[in-house]
Amino acid sequence: MRLEMGHIHIKDIRFSEESKIVDGVLFVCEDEIRKIVLEDEKIKSVTFDIAKPGESTRITPVKDVIEPRVKVEGRGGIFPGVIAKVDTVGSGKTYALKGMAVVTAGRIVGFQEGIIDMSGPGADYTPFSKLINFVMVCEPEEGIEPHHYEQAVRLAGFRVAVRLGELAKELTPDETKVYETCGIKEGIEKYPDLPRVAYVHMLQSQGLLHDTYVYGVDAKKSLTTMMSPTEIMDGAIVSGNCVSACDKNTTYHHLNNPVIHDLFEEHGKTLNFVCHILTNENVYLADKMRSSDWTAKLCRMLDLDGVIVSQEGFGNPDTDLIMNCKKIEAEGVKTVIITDEYAGRDGKSQSLADADVAADAVVTGGNANQLIRLPKLDKVIGTLDYVTKIAGSSADAIMDDGSYEVELQVITGATNEMGFNCLSAR
Amino acid sequence: MKGLIITNNPIVSEKFGNEYRVEYVDQSFEDLLARVRDFVHKGYVILTHPLSGSIKPKETPYKSVLLSEVPLLTGVEGESLKLIENSIIKAKAFEDKTNNLSESVLNDFRLIDLSLLESAL
């Protein structure tokens, strides 16, 4: 499968009478976008704001972050099975608006979390502080159940991102990258001496507000399966996960999955990137056994030499991670796993809820319990009502000078388990 | 599939009390895990992960764990014991943040715990 990705660099976002992109500036007509959001009767109101890197602005609580994209050539559309009709995506030509994101914010449930600081020490911990963010703060109609409202905001974010992406359809991209993988036999013939490597992507799938969708299918209801690595770039996987800000994979993370991009960088040079394997993280232990059995079985059937396994979340998924690692290694396929740690505020506790000797190549995204102090910022988009209630924070988190002492957990993307962040021991 | 539910979540107890054997314990998150371990020592098998959900231990006060309906005749099941011991170690590493939670937040936590359990039933 071959996908050409065109990048349109967005240098600024401004409100305007008409939505358009001119010379790298995205003009957004608020009334037009508001209508798109309010198509769903579960959403009572929405306000829009723009947050730029370096500003004294805090966005919270953040639900999802989405990069606008548009399908220019080839089958299907962006977010197949969710916004576009079901059709196999990942080939042809797609444009992405780089340097910006759509951020959905506002209360979903009472403890919902997620902070993006656009400047100060908090900004260093989130990749989204480097983007120009078009923020939608939504309010639900009275009496809507949290999970129905989550779905409404999730879909509204995708509709807006798709509309903004469509503005780029007739433009000429600033740069173009080509991603191409081959069939099994073709790959063996083309790269006979290169190790065969796949990516095992574990999807959050525990239940209410902890879900991920593949072509619109709830991942918890699927057996382990596989895709071509370019399909995810057209939005084949979207996030419905609202919990654990630091290590939840937003839709932006899925669209720009760094493991897939890095494997493509090495494809045909040091390795043969065979495929993208998707598995889940269910609560029922028999599901874990079944899914990890299937993951290991697929790795063996594909005659892989190695896999990279990424996780999403804490606790329960640690068990899936270790099961996958153990069983894949037992098939003679080498593994590298990517996770993050909850090692206590002093960093001295056991990092994961499970372990095994087979897990001897581990990359960590950082210690989510690490304390940091976030200074008071001038502007808040969303509400601070929940900052003391979100994970990693506490009632005594507010200091006399208006700053917050919180765990890294509260910052969106801080310890991402795809390795999308920049925490380092160096 | 039927089983034994150990829970400190009143809405789980209410909803499944007739259908399942429910052991309702009005205790903390950590005490509940210790209670699960007691059952594992009697030979019960854990069927759902004790650290399900991304809301961390002691950030939510509620937890429900599904176990086998009856204990194994062969005694303690090793995997279940390892799982609950690891879960207890992990839970200890977290600070308790459940004081002063508002009723609406507690309500959301009860609902999420219920749905995590339901996803396995």
Side-chain angles (χ1 to χ4, degrees):
Chain A
M1 214 176 247
R2 183 182 190 276
L3 180 69
E4 202 177 306
M5 278 293 311
H7 292 179
I8 314 275
H9 295 299
I10 298 298
K11 295 175 286 195
D12 198 7
I13 304 179
R14 292 177 209 156
F15 290 116
S16 171
E17 297 285 298
E18 185 195 354
S19 297
K20 59 187 174 184
I21 299 169
V22 180
D23 295 332
V25 178
L26 169 63
F27 294 91
V28 181
C29 172
E30 271 188 273
D31 287 344
E32 183 209 345
I33 303 300
R34 180 172 292 107
K35 273 186 204 143
I36 293 172
V37 175
L38 298 181
E39 278 170 21
D40 195 319
E41 58 192 21
K42 291 189 274 301
I43 300 174
K44 183 168 76 180
S45 64
V46 60
T47 54
F48 302 106
D49 216 322
I50 296 161
K52 299 177 186 176
E55 286 179 350
S56 181
T57 300
R58 173 165 294 146
I59 312 169
T60 187
V62 171
K63 171 178 162 35
D64 200 6
V65 184
I66 310 154
E67 186 176 76
R69 295 191 171 195
V70 62
K71 200 82 199 134
V72 180
E73 281 172 22
R75 284 173 66 181
I78 302 299
F79 305 129
V82 178
I83 301 293
K85 280 194 298 188
V86 174
D87 197 353
T88 301
V89 292
S91 60
K93 197 187 279 185
T94 299
Y95 292 167
L97 304 190
K98 306 305 281 188
M100 71 152 294
V102 172
V103 174
T104 51
R107 180 190 190 277
I108 303 281
V109 278
F111 60 93
Q112 196 219 337
E113 50 198 28
I115 291 176
I116 296 173
D117 278 1
M118 299 306 290
S119 63
D124 295 339
Y125 289 96
T126 175
F128 305 121
S129 63
K130 286 90 184 165
L131 304 178
I132 306 169
N133 292 310
F134 180 73
V135 189
M136 337 176 348
V137 183
C138 300
E139 285 290 330
E141 282 292 352
E142 295 294 319
I144 304 285
E145 290 286 326
H147 55 292
H148 291 138
Y149 180 57
E150 183 279 324
Q151 183 189 41
V153 178
R154 172 172 17 108
L155 296 177
F158 299 150
R159 288 198 301 274
V160 170
V162 164
R163 171 62 190 135
L164 297 181
E166 281 169 354
L167 299 173
K169 196 163 185 176
E170 307 299 331
L171 300 181
T172 305
D174 297 302
E175 60 175 332
T176 297
K177 289 188 177 177
V178 175
Y179 301 94
E180 189 168 12
T181 50
C182 28
I184 301 288
K185 187 179 166 202
E186 194 187 348
I188 292 169
E189 286 169 359
K190 207 166 167 186
Y191 310 113
D193 301 321
L194 293 180
R196 297 168 55 72
V197 177
Y199 171 37
V200 175
H201 186 179
M202 294 169 49
L203 305 173
Q204 180 62 267
S205 62
Q206 298 186 69
L208 186 63
L209 309 174
H210 292 71
D211 285 315
T212 307
Y213 300 87
V214 182
Y215 280 88
V217 175
D218 185 343
K220 81 163 94 45
K221 295 174 182 162
S222 170
L223 286 166
T224 301
T225 186
M226 56 184 171
M227 300 200 303
S228 170
T230 51
E231 291 174 65
I232 196 171
M233 298 179 191
D234 281 338
I237 302 179
V238 299
S239 171
N241 186 8
C242 295
V243 193
S244 200
C246 65
D247 56 16
K248 79 174 174 196
N249 295 331
T250 66
T251 300
Y252 188 99
H253 288 110
H254 288 299
L255 287 165
N256 291 286
N257 188 309
V259 178
I260 286 179
H261 282 83
D262 285 0
L263 284 171
F264 265 120
E265 281 295 314
E266 294 302 315
H267 179 55
K269 297 177 198 162
T270 60
L271 53 84
N272 174 9
F273 186 11
V274 176
C275 72
H276 179 188
I277 297 173
L278 305 173
T279 187
N280 52 20
E281 302 176 345
N282 289 9
V283 167
Y284 190 40
L285 295 175
D287 288 344
K288 294 180 185 304
M289 296 294 291
R290 189 182 299 117
S291 292
S292 55
D293 281 351
W294 278 61
T295 307
K297 183 169 61 184
L298 281 180
C299 290
R300 177 69 192 89
M301 286 171 73
L302 291 164
D303 271 327
L304 299 176
D305 296 299
V307 293
I308 296 174
V309 187
S310 75
Q311 181 190 3
E312 181 173 1
F314 149 90
N316 170 62
D318 294 350
T319 300
D320 301 277
L321 178 71
I322 296 300
M323 278 186 183
N324 281 320
C325 173
K326 248 163 74 172
K327 292 180 186 180
I328 296 168
E329 288 266 351
E331 293 291 351
V333 180
K334 295 205 180 311
T335 61
V336 174
I337 63 176
I338 315 175
T339 181
D340 67 347
E341 301 173 65
Y342 287 80
R345 291 184 175 185
D346 59 5
K348 290 179 179 170
S349 302
Q350 179 182 309
S351 298
L352 299 179
D354 202 355
D356 191 85
V357 288
D360 57 2
V362 183
V363 178
T364 175
N367 178 15
N369 293 130
Q370 185 189 323
L371 277 180
I372 58 156
R373 186 174 286 208
L374 303 178
K376 191 175 178 192
L377 298 183
D378 295 340
K379 179 178 172 185
V380 173
I381 303 178
T383 172
L384 286 176
D385 291 357
Y386 306 105
V387 165
T388 58
K389 290 178 182 135
I390 51 189
S393 186
S394 59
D396 53 4
I398 307 171
M399 302 287 139
D400 292 340
D401 61 357
S403 64
Y404 294 93
E405 191 170 64
V406 291
E407 292 179 12
L408 265 188
Q409 283 193 67
V410 302
I411 297 182
T412 301
T415 62
N416 179 269
E417 292 162 287
M418 292 170 172
F420 198 92
N421 49 353
C422 41
L423 276 181
S424 164
R426 261 181 254 164
Chain B
M1 177 208 54
K2 295 289 172 205
L4 162 66
I5 298 168
I6 303 181
T7 183
N8 62 1
N9 180 353
I11 64 170
V12 165
S13 175
E14 243 168 65
K15 183 156 186 187
F16 295 109
N18 294 330
E19 222 179 318
Y20 289 81
R21 183 180 155 203
V22 176
E23 185 89 4
Y24 176 73
V25 287
D26 190 11
Q27 286 177 317
S28 71
F29 194 105
E30 269 185 284
D31 290 338
L32 182 123
L33 294 185
R35 196 60 174 266
V36 171
R37 181 171 58 188
D38 290 346
F39 277 89
V40 169
H41 279 289
K42 290 177 192 165
Y44 287 82
V45 178
I46 298 177
L47 300 180
T48 61
H49 201 289
L51 298 181
S52 57
S54 289
I55 306 162
K56 308 301 178 303
K58 300 192 279 191
E59 281 164 9
T60 169
Y62 300 112
K63 179 50 61 190
S64 303
V65 182
L66 180 71
L67 284 80
S68 58
E69 196 169 16
V70 290
L72 295 176
L73 297 173
T74 47
V76 179
E77 201 244 357
E79 283 300 317
S80 292
L81 187 60
K82 187 179 146 207
L83 184 61
I84 190 63
E85 288 289 3
N86 272 327
S87 299
I88 289 170
I89 290 170
K90 238 16 261 159
K92 276 192 202 306
F94 286 85
E95 316 251 326
D96 197 310
K97 296 176 192 129
T98 56
N99 287 335
N100 305 318
L101 292 176
S102 69
E103 189 46 39
S104 92
V105 172
L106 287 170
N107 195 41
D108 286 340
F109 282 154
R110 287 191 283 265
L111 187 68
I112 288 187
D113 175 67
L114 171 72
S115 87
L116 292 171
L117 180 73
E118 275 182 325
S119 78
L121 296 179

